[in-house]
Amino acid sequence: MTSGMAQAPEPSAAFGDWHGGQVTERALCVLCPNPSPMTLDGTNTWVLLEPGSTDAVVIDPGPLDEGHLRAVVDAVSARGARVAQTILTHGHADHAEGAGRFAELTGAPTRAVGRGHDDLTDGDVVTAGGLDLRVVATPGHTSDSLSFALAADHALLTGDTVLGRGTTVVAHPDGELAAYLASLERIARLTGDGEVTAILPGHGPVVPDASAMVAFYRTHRAERLEQVRQALADGAATAADPVLAVVERVYADVPREVWPAAAQSVAAHLDYLRARG
């Protein structure tokens, strides 16, 4: 994060202290051992199970990691349940690569946006063993990004749209800033009316104050957009590579290993500004 920008709410667990586990009455996180600058502590695979039910919903089985996939199956079995459905928040490999193998292990169908006859669309309600999960379309990080409202726990599972620590990438060219800003506004409305109080993210620890985190995300994006606009005005617009010139200025205090991801977000910001003249 660039100095002088809005500060994020304190995460509920420091890096290295988030290990998943049971976080609400219905939601269990099985943490994949794939930590990195982009995946934070690793990918959160969510097991959702209504108390007393034997039908579980799994969200984001994660990468093709046999040990992790079997750990998820074992976590479901330990609760006397089976996987009834698998759902993807989006198609990035760290969330979805293992879906095919997971289907072989469980026999459960996999559902997402644009993947066949079981496609999910905004407003759909996924049900399993008394569990109700409402689909909330939240494109922007990617075009296919979905969130899922678990009303019984006042929780929203956000994939990469809102993380448990830091901010996410608008993954240009598939990701798009205008859509992302609209998705944040939609989530803000859910937190404002009390439907959502906690966020269960795709990476990082659970967010106990959803409203504060979404407010930070919206402020951060507005500040970042102004930084990009100022960098262009200061000469980046005429550089041989405007995206790199903006990254070098705006993300100067960010580790270079995340610059490729920053470049995706900058490209999305430039497209947004061009579209608005």
Side-chain angles (χ1 to χ4, degrees):
M1 181 188 301
T2 300
S3 58
M5 295 187 70
Q7 296 299 304
E10 191 70 22
S12 63
F15 186 81
D17 291 340
W18 169 246
H19 306 291
Q22 193 80 37
V23 300
T24 73
E25 187 176 14
R26 294 163 181 81
L28 166 75
C29 176
V30 182
L31 180 63
C32 183
N34 63 330
S36 76
M38 294 305 299
T39 60
L40 305 182
D41 311 77
T43 299
N44 293 333
T45 296
W46 292 99
V47 176
L48 307 180
L49 187 66
E50 187 71 17
S53 174
T54 57
D55 287 342
V57 174
V58 169
I59 294 182
D60 288 350
L64 188 54
D65 179 317
E66 187 75 12
H68 173 65
L69 298 177
R70 291 188 178 275
V72 177
V73 172
D74 290 346
V76 175
S77 297
R79 286 156 178 77
R82 68 179 185 93
V83 179
Q85 295 187 56
T86 302
I87 299 175
L88 305 180
T89 61
H90 63 297
H92 280 170
D94 56 320
H95 296 259
E97 183 188 37
R101 175 58 178 150
F102 194 66
E104 293 176 355
L105 292 172
T106 64
T110 303
R111 305 183 69 187
V113 170
R115 293 176 180 268
H117 70 280
D118 278 337
D119 285 1
L120 294 172
T121 59
D122 186 51
D124 285 351
V125 177
V126 176
T127 60
L131 184 85
D132 288 338
L133 198 62
R134 181 166 61 86
V135 178
V136 181
T138 50
H141 168 69
T142 60
S143 61
D144 64 345
S145 288
L146 298 174
S147 296
F148 301 94
L150 183 58
D153 286 347
H154 296 284
L156 186 71
L157 296 105
T158 55
D160 281 358
T161 299
V162 178
L163 304 179
R165 186 186 302 109
T167 57
T168 196
V169 173
V170 180
H172 184 272
D174 182 47
E176 198 262 326
L177 183 58
Y180 186 68
L181 295 175
S183 292
L184 290 181
E185 182 178 355
R186 184 174 195 189
I187 296 173
R189 289 196 298 270
L190 295 177
T191 64
D193 65 14
E195 180 178 350
V196 171
T197 58
I199 286 173
L200 312 185
H203 302 285
V206 63
V207 178
D209 188 343
S211 180
M213 182 63 87
V214 174
F216 159 70
Y217 262 57
R218 298 178 75 188
T219 299
H220 169 84
R221 280 297 157 198
E223 292 176 340
R224 187 67 85 200
L225 186 61
E226 183 55 36
Q227 286 184 325
V228 171
R229 185 183 286 111
Q230 188 59 52
L232 293 172
D234 289 344
T238 58
D241 185 342
V243 170
L244 178 58
V246 172
V247 170
E248 288 175 340
R249 177 184 174 91
V250 174
Y251 293 87
D253 59 353
V254 172
R256 283 179 175 259
E257 61 191 347
V258 302
W259 276 20
Q264 293 181 53
S265 280
V266 167
H269 283 70
L270 295 184
D271 277 0
Y272 179 89
L273 291 171
R274 289 190 196 102
R276 284 149 184 78

